[in-house]
Amino acid sequence: MSKGAVSFALNNRPGVAPGTRARILQVAGELGWTPSPRARALSTSQALAVGLVVARAPDTLRADPFFPSFIAGLETVLSEHGHALLLQVTGHQGEDAYRRLAREGRVDGVLVTDLAIDDARPALLAELGLPAVIVGPALEDAFWPSVGVDDAPGITAAVEHLVAAGHRRVAHVSGPRSMIHSHTRSKAWAEALADAGLAADLCVEGDFSAESGALATRGLLDLPEPPTAIVYANDLMAMAGMSLALSRGISVPGDLSVTGYDDTEIAAHLQPSLTTVTSDVVAWGRAAARRLLELIHDQPASPVDLPPARLVMRGSSGPLSTTRATSAHQQQGRDPQASR
């Protein structure tokens, strides 16, 4: 075999017949031969690594179920193509980290998560010439491609489910308002309530941590007319809020319905089990890694077909108990705003 044919086959590049590729891979397997990452990096002038700079405080990140699943999806594609993942965690947007990665040539491209409103990172990466994929909604100024799942349908479905169950005071515990996906979920909650002719006046900001979920729930339950349902922006805050409610002797879902977002593994095993929004985060990670590698190697974009977010109804949501429903109806009758 020629060196070129062997190179094309082992690097999964076009230009070699399928039968020839199969024979080369078979012989390489029999010999136990694998390419040297160091030699490949030198010959291609590439780092053979991609970066993920996570703009979260470490104490918040450690309990967030999104990133382990997302990273698992990334690794399934990166390892297959001989690339490593370089992970850095910073409590801010990490502009210095990106500059250092570009200056030192440690990565060939990066993935950008937790996009903020007026986020400076996409423009910075364009300035640095560092290929990037946005994990989340597309930007108006499209410096880089994006790979994401629309948050809105899942939140809308949660609100519609609660309204259909008879709830008229539906609160929302959001993530940080500076994040675009927090804004998207809050907007979907507000619009779904407006479509039902209900007021969207009970929104409390959290930070995705259990502590912030419990704190926000305490404030909502201490209101003179507390909500009968709460839509949380993630499962962790929802679980903490539900635990607080149960500790006060509040029945879930008889007195208070609760919904989350993420469908973490434990959500189905709580008592009551958590109604939540699910999406395939592992598939999301695979799609993001594939698109970034295509961008790095100047290859055309392959189609991205991620399943939409959907509501999984479980035991934490449902109709109000008869006593609570009667009380809520009487309060609504006394409150002109609530009876819209």
Side-chain angles (χ1 to χ4, degrees), residues 133 192 291:
V133 167
R291 184 67 192 95

Side-chain angles (χ1 to χ4, degrees), residues 66-77 79 85 281-282 285-286:
F66 173 85
F67 282 99
S69 297
F70 181 70
I71 289 172
L74 294 176
E75 286 287 8
T76 59
V77 172
S79 60
L85 177 67
V281 179
V282 174
R286 288 197 297 263

Side-chain angles (χ1 to χ4, degrees), residues 11-93:
N11 288 284
N12 196 29
R13 295 178 61 187
V16 60
T20 303
R21 185 189 307 276
R23 289 168 56 200
I24 292 171
L25 294 177
Q26 178 184 351
V27 172
E30 291 171 354
L31 294 173
W33 184 90
T34 57
S36 164
R38 181 174 296 180
R40 286 182 63 196
L42 288 172
S43 65
T44 62
S45 299
Q46 291 185 333
L48 299 179
V50 302
L52 176 59
V53 179
V54 180
R56 296 271 190 104
D59 57 343
T60 301
L61 179 65
R62 65 182 179 182
D64 190 325
F66 173 85
F67 282 99
S69 297
F70 181 70
I71 289 172
L74 294 176
E75 286 287 8
T76 59
V77 172
L78 295 177
S79 60
E80 179 184 342
H81 290 82
H83 281 65
L85 177 67
L86 191 154
L87 174 66
Q88 291 192 8
V89 179
T90 175
H92 47 82
Q93 289 191 2

Side-chain angles (χ1 to χ4, degrees), residues 136-229:
L139 299 173
E140 291 183 4
D141 295 326
F143 294 103
W144 304 111
S146 64
V147 174
V149 176
D150 188 359
D151 294 330
I155 294 292
T156 299
V159 175
E160 290 176 346
H161 160 61
L162 295 169
V163 171
H167 296 277
R168 295 297 177 264
R169 286 182 62 75
V170 181
H172 178 51
V173 177
S174 74
R177 293 192 179 108
S178 61
M179 292 185 180
I180 288 181
H181 63 277
S182 294
H183 174 73
T184 301
R185 295 177 192 183
S186 297
K187 182 181 178 183
W189 163 80
E191 289 180 348
L193 285 178
D195 289 343
L198 300 172
D201 55 351
L202 296 176
C203 183
V204 182
E205 182 179 11
D207 63 7
F208 293 126
S209 70
E211 182 181 4
S212 74
L215 183 63
T217 305
R218 184 178 297 112
L220 288 168
L221 296 180
D222 285 342
L223 292 172
E225 295 179 19
T228 63

